[in-house]
Amino acid sequence: MPMPSRAEFTPQRLCTDALLLGAALILSWLEILLPMPAIPGFKPGLCNIAVLLAVHRFSLADGAIISLSRIAVMSILFGSVTSFAFSLGGGILSLAVMGLTKPMHGRFSLAGISVLSAAAHNLGQSLAACLVFTSPAPLGMLWWLLLLALPTGLLTGIAAELTHRRLNRGAR
Amino acid sequence: MPLTKWDGAAVLLVLLLSAVSLLFPILAGSDGGMLIIDSETGRREIPLSASGDYEIHSGGHTLTVRIEDGGAAVIGSDCPDKLCMGLGRMGLGHMGLGRIDKAGQSIACVPAGVLITVGGEGDADAVAG
């Protein structure tokens, strides 16, 4: 499938982005409905499957639009100002890592890219918490958040990689 | 499995970063003197020697903080996440999660907008930074 360039906003790209944003919102909502019983408050970040796909099928800008719209909608529906700041810090840092690692897709699979961006997300959240509370104290939990980024990043990354390959096969 | 060698390197890098950031709670330092509770209703300071249960009302939620033996933990919360209590329940209290007693350690409750920090004798920020 010929990938549209950055400048080319085709109806197909618009529709795919809209579908991916819908998928991201539904996955975020599912995580609220199905809390993890073993580790309270722990979320696998399934919506990043949609963001990863947008970044790798189109461009970083597509991923950014989906990620930031998702954060805005989820914060308005279910969140607070504080949770919006935390999500935004995580979302921006994770997008930055996705942008930096995109050219290395091939060496990294989306699983590796996802692990790095999940770690960046949790680091961004901790930094945002430091800003919100004007205290370095939230960094004390960082080691634990980074460990959690491994299983969650691998899970979402493998799902994204398999979906990406299947979509490529379907397009031929 | 679609994994590559570089994915392995990514996992190792994150493990390494996690090990390095373990220094934050370990270096958090000396025993604290005051418990500082920042919430939407303002700041409240309670000495860690004043054992007892304290209720915090913030962001439409109620949290119960227990101070005992110079440390503090959130023992009750009506928010759906219960993250502030959960990590302590997993037996990770000694790593700066759940129970806090060292200057610079903290418990954050996002839904209620509450940050509970242990302040030291001097400037807590300088100790934890």
Side-chain angles (χ1 to χ4, degrees):
Chain A
M1 184 180 86
M3 294 284 164
S5 72
R6 254 159 222 258
E8 209 181 329
F9 227 150
T10 61
Q12 190 211 14
R13 180 173 169 193
L14 191 62
C15 288
T16 312
D17 278 351
L19 277 173
L20 286 173
L21 174 58
L25 287 171
I26 289 170
L27 289 171
S28 295
W29 186 52
L30 259 181
E31 286 181 352
I32 295 177
L33 289 182
L34 303 170
M36 303 288 122
I39 311 171
F42 162 78
K43 291 198 177 91
L46 294 174
C47 53
N48 280 313
I49 299 172
V51 179
L52 277 168
L53 284 173
V55 169
H56 285 269
R57 300 196 74 74
F58 301 115
S59 72
L60 183 62
D62 297 74
I65 290 168
I66 289 168
S67 176
L68 299 178
S69 311
R70 182 199 70 84
I71 291 168
V73 171
M74 292 309 284
S75 295
I76 290 166
L77 289 179
F78 304 102
S80 62
V81 180
T82 329
S83 69
F84 175 70
F86 286 21
S87 303
L88 201 62
I92 288 172
L93 220 57
S94 131
L95 280 167
V97 166
M98 284 186 198
L100 286 174
T101 51
K102 187 182 175 182
M104 292 180 257
H105 186 210
R107 293 190 183 131
F108 286 117
S109 78
L110 288 184
I113 290 176
S114 175
V115 164
L116 292 176
S117 69
H121 181 274
N122 293 352
L123 175 65
Q125 266 193 333
S126 301
L127 293 177
C130 289
L131 282 179
V132 167
F133 294 123
T134 57
S135 152
L139 289 177
M141 292 185 65
L142 186 59
W143 71 276
W144 172 240
L145 290 172
L146 288 176
L147 273 189
L148 280 181
L150 293 177
T152 59
L154 282 175
L155 175 78
T156 57
I158 289 170
E161 178 72 39
L162 294 176
T163 314
H164 189 53
R165 289 182 188 183
R166 182 135 319 183
L167 286 172
N168 281 347
R169 225 183 300 158
R172 259 172 228 135
Chain B
M1 281 297 231
L3 297 180
T4 70
K5 272 184 199 165
W6 282 56
D7 293 342
V11 169
L12 284 180
L13 177 68
V14 173
L15 273 177
L16 194 74
L17 288 174
S18 169
V20 170
S21 54
L22 197 51
L23 290 174
F24 285 115
I26 289 174
L27 294 180
S30 56
D31 286 353
M34 292 291 267
L35 194 68
I36 304 163
I37 302 170
D38 285 306
S39 69
E40 287 181 1
T41 50
R43 170 170 285 206
R44 198 169 147 193
E45 296 190 8
I46 307 169
L48 277 172
S49 51
S51 298
D53 290 352
Y54 300 87
E55 281 197 348
I56 309 165
H57 302 279
S58 178
H61 295 289
T62 303
L63 278 75
T64 310
V65 177
R66 174 167 292 169
I67 299 181
E68 212 172 36
D69 305 324
V74 177
I75 56 158
S77 168
D78 61 0
C79 95
D81 286 359
K82 298 208 192 319
L83 180 62
C84 54
M85 302 167 56
L87 295 171
R89 272 190 304 200
M90 289 173 64
L92 289 163
H94 61 292
M95 307 284 355
L97 300 167
R99 188 190 144 89
I100 52 174
D101 52 13
K102 298 267 186 280
Q105 291 181 336
S106 73
I107 302 170
C109 171
V110 183
V114 173
L115 179 72
I116 304 166
T117 318
V118 179
E121 317 295 324
D123 182 12
D125 286 7
V127 175

